Amino acid sequence: MDWTTIDACRTSTELPRPVEIRGWIRTRRDSKGGFSFLEVNDGTSLGNLQVVAPAELENYAEEIQKLTAGCSVVVQGELVESPAKGQATELHANSVRVIGRCDGETYPLQKKRHSFEKLREWSHLRARTNTLGAVMRVRNRISQSIHRFFDDEGFNYLHTPIITASDCEGAGEMFRVTTLNLEKLAGSNRPFDTKQDFFQKPTHLTVSGQLEAETYATALSRVYTFGPTFRAENSNTSRHLAEFWMVEPEAAFYDLHDNMQLAERFLKRVFSDCLSHCGEDMEFFNERIEKGKIDQLKSVIEKPFEHMTYTDAVERLLACDEKFEYPVEWGTDLQAEHERYLTSVVGGPVILTDYPSSIKPFYMRVSDDGKTVAAMDVLVPGVGEIIGGSQREERLDVLQRRMAEGGLDESEYWWYVDLRRYGTVPHAGFGLGLERAVQYVTGMANIRDVIPFPRTPGNAEF
Amino acid sequence: MDWTTIDACRTSTELPRPVEIRGWIRTRRDSKGGFSFLEVNDGTSLGNLQVVAPAELENYAEEIQKLTAGCSVVVQGELVESPAKGQATELHANSVRVIGRCDGETYPLQKKRHSFEKLREWSHLRARTNTLGAVMRVRNRISQSIHRFFDDEGFNYLHTPIITASDCEGAGEMFRVTTLNLEKLAGSNRPFDTKQDFFQKPTHLTVSGQLEAETYATALSRVYTFGPTFRAENSNTSRHLAEFWMVEPEAAFYDLHDNMQLAERFLKRVFSDCLSHCGEDMEFFNERIEKGKIDQLKSVIEKPFEHMTYTDAVERLLACDEKFEYPVEWGTDLQAEHERYLTSVVGGPVILTDYPSSIKPFYMRVSDDGKTVAAMDVLVPGVGEIIGGSQREERLDVLQRRMAEGGLDESEYWWYVDLRRYGTVPHAGFGLGLERAVQYVTGMANIRDVIPFPRTPGNAEF
């Protein structure tokens, strides 16, 4: 490869020098002075590189003056310091080779600004727009940062199964996975036989890799998953997807305190990496999507997270003057409006802990009071819960009692229970929804705009 | 956290110093001299840390002398230089706290050596063994290395959809994804209505993210996927899984040559990182699993990969003295035995290129000869094909003709074809099967032993 990315051209200080760039036209403007200005983008940065194409070029009238948004070009020339405001460099073209044309009549991304909703119909093209391009670069940076953080902390990246016969939380609708022919099945009047299916038993798409991650945490000490998870819920909201990516660290010998510290270090590292690696994109979000986002993230990075027990949170909610739609009562789940209130009075992230055991899953460790579990939720302003986690129940007898209370069949979880039989250890972990994190960092309002190809009820095009 | 990993203890040069470790007993040996030797492992390294526990400890007779394999302990003491051979350090215990017992009667991983096949029945525990623990650390290192390589090369990590309505290759059995109740469907005797399903159309688990990755390559220039992919094939072999992880880079403006160079740099980086970060684990594989593995990898890293066209390969196969089970003929796919022969005569990896278009998918770029496509497969000794890739067909008319020839419905791929309508560019990419890479690096014979929870026909426990 002997071409240079536009990002590298725009920030180059080694000037002047000959370069070749390869990208797509964003705009063309013909000057009366006998040249055209081409704004070229290759997705390596939000901003374009300005190409100055003189009329002397042999294909000037034939091709260059016909360039429209979306055309692909290869440009060779001299990269020089730009006299214009708002750009450090520009490219004086010796040749502009047109690679692919783009019909201005039918190209969806022409001229006018489109709503995010409209852009979703063109998921195959929308990353060519400023906002979606920036979102996807930030999403990449967050993902890279996640891997580097856990690698640095000695966690092993673990691939837990996507197709599973178990159900992590006994909650959440699941997608069925099958090789049976549904069309034929519907037409037959034979009784259903699960033994005929690929796995010879009912299987579903995972809702969480946590239980499997616990098995590896008791072998390798520290592991994390980072993979797709699924909910077959008929929710058409701006906060829900049927398919989304989740990060789930799990660490042996961690208690709730270690877990909270890990979550705080983790989020701060991710936010820092976005600010330091995606400066231009973050400026864009700060100006166009959510004013003040950069200062907000900086303040989150600098200050220790506030901690609050669920019981204290309930007291604060009961004592405040706010009118809530849902009543607040100890022993019921907090609603989004309650979480919003708490993050707004705190003025930043808050970690809620020690929830009632009655509203939390069987695997969370029961505290000495017998009423609460060692759970933690990290709430952030705007998005609400971004992380949910807990210390896990490591005592065999308590776990068995909780499973029985929850109506779970212990024989289906024999391998999970085994971990408490053979060298059990205190351990803890949490889950971060990647899309929620991207939303928080970018300020994007709809979760469908922070994942490349969103999956929601009725939507699986592409 | 104020404890030290066993890996750090074993390689520490800051001696003597007080430390606390947390891990699991591998073996206990009582000495007549009034102390016990405990081999403790926490999964951070293959080797154990030897703990010397003196009889003076208050729980010596009561607890320490009853420790068996699998028990979890927290040990505090003085980390000192070891006088014993084969270990640099040892820990003189001031206290050994027993956290979790492990019933020696029922614990599966006792005493005798188990076959890998037997260990698969205990997938929740097998990472506690030397071999599987080492495999999973190497798998982690390969995964980390993949992300770092592509990040360094300016590729954006892209999450392509898992649930999909399209079928990348028009080949390969797929798993159906549904929210319909199969049990009810079977008895209903009503005609099947796909509109009742979650996505209102038939959906499946992805076999490749390539087509979607191409859409993002024409926006961000360089992207890669790293996620699970699926094949519903009834193959009970040591080389096939129903669920496996794949890495798929895709780059705009890359031709086949750029693509081959990328693949070679990529594999060399991954192998180097394994050798430099997983020294002890690699020594283990080199001695116990495949003799000579380390020298083999070093030689692969040092030498340029050989290139050979499919046509040349066929000629060599026809001219050789080898007896093959399957006949060799220009225009048919090479079999594993042919690939094995080619890598053995080359004595290392070989990149085969320019396959007949008749045996390759519609999206591969047709060459000027009209008979071959710009395809490439990277073959490695022992494993065979580890990477398959191509330059993609960027010409609208040629793509449409190839789709028609292959009997594909263009309207189902409208968004893929759009990329050739709007600013089309030459581009290329490839796919690496993660498990094949782990097998090659470790020498493990069965693919089921290099993924945490293998999915194969009839197997979806855990």
Side-chain angles (χ1 to χ4, degrees):
Chain A
M1 292 157 304
D2 30 19
W3 71 96
T4 309
T5 66
I6 284 177
D7 186 40
C9 287
R10 291 176 65 233
T11 54
S12 179
T13 51
E14 189 198 322
L15 300 171
R17 65 180 172 114
V19 298
E20 175 179 313
I21 61 157
R22 304 181 177 191
W24 292 266
I25 300 290
R26 283 290 172 87
T27 62
R28 190 200 82 240
R29 185 163 57 82
D30 299 330
S31 155
K32 287 186 182 144
F35 45 84
S36 294
F37 295 106
L38 309 173
E39 295 282 332
V40 184
N41 190 290
D42 66 359
T44 58
S45 65
L46 181 82
N48 310 315
L49 181 67
Q50 180 170 282
V51 171
V52 185
E56 289 74 39
L57 294 177
E58 55 168 16
N59 60 341
Y60 186 74
E62 197 84 358
E63 293 195 313
I64 295 173
Q65 282 201 308
K66 290 176 184 162
L67 284 172
T68 55
C71 292
S72 51
V73 291
V74 172
V75 182
Q76 291 179 329
E78 192 83 352
L79 187 68
V80 299
E81 202 176 319
S82 175
K85 252 185 88 173
Q87 58 187 29
T89 62
E90 62 184 36
L91 178 57
H92 291 179
N94 303 325
S95 95
V96 176
R97 197 148 54 87
V98 180
I99 305 297
R101 301 220 143 265
C102 184
D103 182 356
E105 295 292 306
T106 59
Y107 188 48
L109 301 181
Q110 279 286 2
K111 297 158 200 152
K112 73 172 205 133
R113 183 172 290 193
H114 300 286
S115 69
F116 291 134
E117 198 173 350
K118 190 73 199 163
L119 286 176
R120 275 174 230 140
E121 296 174 22
W122 306 314
S123 287
H124 61 310
L125 301 175
R126 66 178 179 160
R128 300 180 181 191
T129 65
N130 283 338
T131 307
L132 269 290
V135 165
M136 295 309 163
R137 280 187 297 273
V138 168
R139 185 181 168 107
N140 167 64
R141 186 49 46 206
I142 291 173
S143 301
Q144 301 291 351
S145 181
I146 287 165
H147 283 299
R148 294 201 181 211
F149 172 80
F150 285 115
D151 193 23
D152 291 349
E153 295 249 346
F155 284 67
N156 283 277
Y157 182 26
L158 176 73
H159 297 112
T160 48
I162 308 302
I163 299 174
T164 174
S166 72
D167 169 358
C168 175
E169 304 186 288
E173 291 292 309
M174 297 176 88
F175 287 101
R176 183 87 173 248
V177 175
T178 183
T179 49
L180 297 175
N181 184 314
L182 302 195
E183 289 75 8
K184 280 190 190 162
L185 207 59
S188 84
N189 46 18
R190 279 201 301 272
F192 179 76
D193 181 8
T194 194
K195 285 277 171 205
Q196 302 292 319
D197 211 343
F198 191 89
F199 295 107
Q200 296 167 24
K201 60 164 79 172
T203 51
H204 297 88
L205 293 179
T206 184
V207 294
S208 162
Q210 178 201 318
L211 303 193
E212 288 91 352
E214 285 185 52
T215 70
Y216 268 69
T218 61
L220 305 178
S221 281
R222 295 172 203 177
V223 297
Y224 71 103
T225 73
F226 186 175
T229 47
F230 305 85
R231 297 283 186 284
E233 271 150 37
N234 198 14
S235 308
N236 263 306
T237 80
S238 61
R239 291 167 45 86
H240 292 92
L241 290 168
E243 174 180 318
F244 56 98
W245 284 66
M246 193 142 73
V247 181
E248 296 180 286
E250 191 72 34
F253 299 106
Y254 270 45
D255 61 18
L256 189 66
H257 177 73
D258 300 320
N259 206 26
M260 288 192 288
Q261 286 192 318
L262 181 73
E264 182 168 340
R265 283 199 305 279
F266 171 57
L267 289 176
K268 288 180 171 180
R269 164 73 177 268
V270 168
F271 300 158
S272 298
D273 283 352
C274 288
L275 291 178
S276 59
H277 288 79
C278 300
E280 191 186 23
D281 292 324
M282 289 306 301
E283 289 287 352
F284 175 83
F285 293 118
N286 194 55
E287 275 166 39
R288 304 291 189 87
I289 305 295
E290 189 183 328
K291 294 259 183 244
K293 179 49 88 179
I294 290 178
D295 284 343
Q296 186 196 38
L297 290 177
K298 281 184 180 163
S299 130
V300 167
I301 292 163
E302 277 158 23
K303 285 191 297 188
F305 286 10
E306 291 239 9
H307 295 193
M308 195 188 295
T309 66
Y310 166 91
T311 303
D312 286 347
V314 166
E315 274 172 23
R316 278 178 92 146
L317 289 164
L318 288 172
C320 80
D321 291 332
E322 209 79 6
K323 283 271 166 276
F324 295 117
E325 191 183 341
Y326 294 89
V328 175
E329 192 189 355
W330 199 99
T332 61
D333 238 339
L334 299 183
Q335 301 295 320
E337 57 177 346
H338 308 138
E339 296 181 349
R340 250 194 317 273
Y341 174 80
L342 293 168
T343 55
S344 74
V345 293
V346 166
V350 53
I351 309 187
L352 290 192
T353 61
D354 304 292
Y355 284 78
S357 61
S358 55
I359 58 170
K360 289 291 184 184
F362 72 95
Y363 52 71
M364 294 192 176
R365 191 179 194 281
V366 178
S367 301
D368 290 345
D369 63 19
K371 292 187 305 184
T372 62
V373 288
M376 58 171 236
D377 281 358
V378 183
L379 315 180
V380 292
V383 173
E385 184 194 324
I386 195 169
I387 278 179
S390 72
Q391 188 173 335
R392 319 307 187 187
E393 184 54 74
E394 89 280 13
R395 295 161 299 186
L396 178 62
D397 55 338
V398 182
L399 183 72
Q400 287 172 321
R401 199 187 69 224
R402 289 273 285 161
M403 291 178 77
E405 285 168 6
L408 289 159
D409 184 353
E410 195 186 315
S411 69
E412 281 184 27
Y413 293 85
W414 64 273
W415 50 273
Y416 186 72
V417 179
D418 261 7
L419 305 181
R420 282 70 184 172
R421 283 199 181 94
Y422 305 126
T424 192
V425 293
H427 60 292
F430 62 79
L432 167 91
L434 176 65
E435 285 74 20
R436 295 270 171 92
V438 180
Q439 278 192 278
Y440 180 64
V441 169
T442 61
M444 294 295 288
N446 196 312
I447 199 166
R448 299 174 196 209
D449 300 325
V450 300
I451 189 168
F453 298 93
R455 293 291 178 256
T456 55
N459 288 308
E461 193 71 41
F462 310 103
Chain B
M1 291 156 304
D2 31 18
W3 71 97
T4 309
T5 66
I6 284 176
D7 186 40
C9 287
R10 292 176 65 233
T11 54
S12 179
T13 51
E14 188 198 322
L15 301 169
R17 65 182 171 113
V19 298
E20 176 178 313
I21 60 157
R22 304 180 177 191
W24 292 267
I25 300 289
R26 282 289 173 90
T27 62
R28 192 200 80 241
R29 186 164 57 83
D30 299 330
S31 154
K32 287 188 180 140
F35 44 83
S36 295
F37 296 106
L38 309 173
E39 294 283 332
V40 183
N41 190 289
D42 65 0
T44 58
S45 65
L46 180 83
N48 310 313
L49 181 67
Q50 180 170 281
V51 170
V52 184
E56 289 74 40
L57 295 178
E58 56 168 15
N59 60 341
Y60 185 74
E62 197 83 0
E63 292 194 313
I64 296 172
Q65 283 201 307
K66 292 177 184 161
L67 285 172
T68 54
C71 293
S72 52
V73 291
V74 172
V75 183
Q76 292 178 329
E78 193 84 352
L79 186 68
V80 300
E81 201 176 318
S82 176
K85 252 185 84 172
Q87 57 187 30
T89 62
E90 61 184 37
L91 178 57
H92 291 177
N94 303 326
S95 93
V96 176
R97 198 148 53 87
V98 180
I99 305 299
R101 301 223 142 263
C102 184
D103 182 355
E105 295 292 308
T106 60
Y107 188 48
L109 302 180
Q110 277 286 359
K111 297 159 200 151
K112 73 170 201 128
R113 183 172 290 192
H114 300 285
S115 69
F116 292 136
E117 196 174 353
K118 188 74 200 162
L119 286 176
R120 277 175 227 140
E121 295 174 23
W122 307 314
S123 287
H124 62 310
L125 301 174
R126 66 178 179 162
R128 300 180 182 191
T129 65
N130 283 338
T131 307
L132 270 291
V135 166
M136 295 308 164
R137 280 186 297 272
V138 168
R139 185 181 166 106
N140 167 66
R141 184 50 47 206
I142 291 175
S143 301
Q144 302 291 350
S145 181
I146 287 166
H147 283 299
R148 293 200 182 213
F149 172 80
F150 285 114
D151 193 23
D152 292 349
E153 294 249 345
F155 284 67
N156 284 278
Y157 183 27
L158 176 72
H159 296 111
T160 47
I162 309 302
I163 300 173
T164 175
S166 71
D167 169 357
C168 174
E169 303 185 288
E173 291 292 308
M174 298 177 88
F175 287 102
R176 182 87 174 245
V177 175
T178 183
T179 50
L180 297 174
N181 184 317
L182 302 194
E183 288 75 8
K184 280 190 190 161
L185 204 60
S188 73
N189 216 357
R190 276 202 301 271
F192 179 75
D193 180 9
T194 194
K195 286 276 171 210
Q196 301 292 316
D197 210 343
F198 190 89
F199 295 108
Q200 297 167 22
K201 60 163 79 173
T203 50
H204 297 88
L205 293 179
T206 184
V207 294
S208 163
Q210 178 201 316
L211 304 193
E212 289 90 351
E214 286 185 52
T215 71
Y216 268 69
T218 61
L220 304 178
S221 282
R222 294 170 204 179
V223 297
Y224 71 103
T225 72
F226 186 175
T229 48
F230 305 85
R231 296 282 185 286
E233 271 151 37
N234 199 13
S235 309
N236 263 306
T237 79
S238 61
R239 292 167 45 87
H240 293 92
L241 291 168
E243 174 181 317
F244 56 98
W245 284 66
M246 192 140 74
V247 182
E248 296 180 286
E250 191 72 34
F253 300 106
Y254 270 44
D255 61 18
L256 189 66
H257 177 74
D258 300 320
N259 206 27
M260 288 193 286
Q261 286 193 318
L262 182 74
E264 182 168 340
R265 283 198 305 280
F266 171 57
L267 289 176
K268 288 181 171 179
R269 165 71 177 270
V270 168
F271 301 156
S272 296
D273 283 352
C274 288
L275 291 177
S276 59
H277 287 79
C278 300
E280 191 186 22
D281 291 323
M282 289 307 301
E283 289 287 352
F284 175 83
F285 292 118
N286 194 55
E287 276 166 38
R288 304 293 188 87
I289 304 295
E290 188 183 330
K291 294 262 184 238
K293 180 48 90 179
I294 289 178
D295 284 343
Q296 186 195 37
L297 290 177
K298 281 184 181 164
S299 131
V300 167
I301 291 164
E302 277 158 24
K303 285 192 297 190
F305 286 11
E306 291 239 10
H307 295 194
M308 195 187 297
T309 66
Y310 167 89
T311 302
D312 285 348
V314 166
E315 273 172 25
R316 278 178 93 144
L317 289 164
L318 288 172
C320 79
D321 291 332
E322 208 81 5
K323 283 270 165 281
F324 295 117
E325 192 183 341
Y326 294 90
V328 175
E329 193 189 356
W330 200 98
T332 60
D333 237 338
L334 299 183
Q335 301 296 319
E337 56 177 348
H338 308 138
E339 298 181 347
R340 249 193 319 273
Y341 174 79
L342 293 168
T343 54
S344 75
V345 292
V346 166
V350 54
I351 309 187
L352 290 192
T353 60
D354 304 292
Y355 285 77
S357 61
S358 55
I359 59 169
K360 288 292 184 183
F362 72 95
Y363 51 73
M364 293 193 178
R365 191 178 194 280
V366 178
S367 301
D368 290 344
D369 63 17
K371 292 187 306 183
T372 63
V373 288
M376 59 172 235
D377 280 359
V378 183
L379 315 180
V380 292
V383 172
E385 183 195 324
I386 196 171
I387 278 179
S390 72
Q391 188 173 335
R392 319 307 187 186
E393 184 54 73
E394 88 281 13
R395 295 161 297 186
L396 178 62
D397 55 338
V398 182
L399 183 72
Q400 286 172 323
R401 198 187 71 223
R402 288 273 285 160
M403 290 178 77
E405 285 168 6
L408 288 159
D409 184 355
E410 195 186 316
S411 69
E412 279 183 29
Y413 293 86
W414 64 272
W415 51 271
Y416 186 71
V417 179
D418 262 6
L419 305 181
R420 281 72 182 169
R421 282 199 180 93
Y422 304 127
T424 192
V425 293
H427 60 292
F430 62 79
L432 167 92
L434 176 65
E435 285 74 19
R436 295 272 171 91
V438 180
Q439 277 191 279
Y440 180 63
V441 169
T442 60
M444 294 294 288
N446 196 312
I447 200 167
R448 300 175 194 208
D449 299 326
V450 299
I451 190 167
F453 298 93
R455 293 291 179 255
T456 55
N459 287 310
E461 192 73 41
F462 309 104

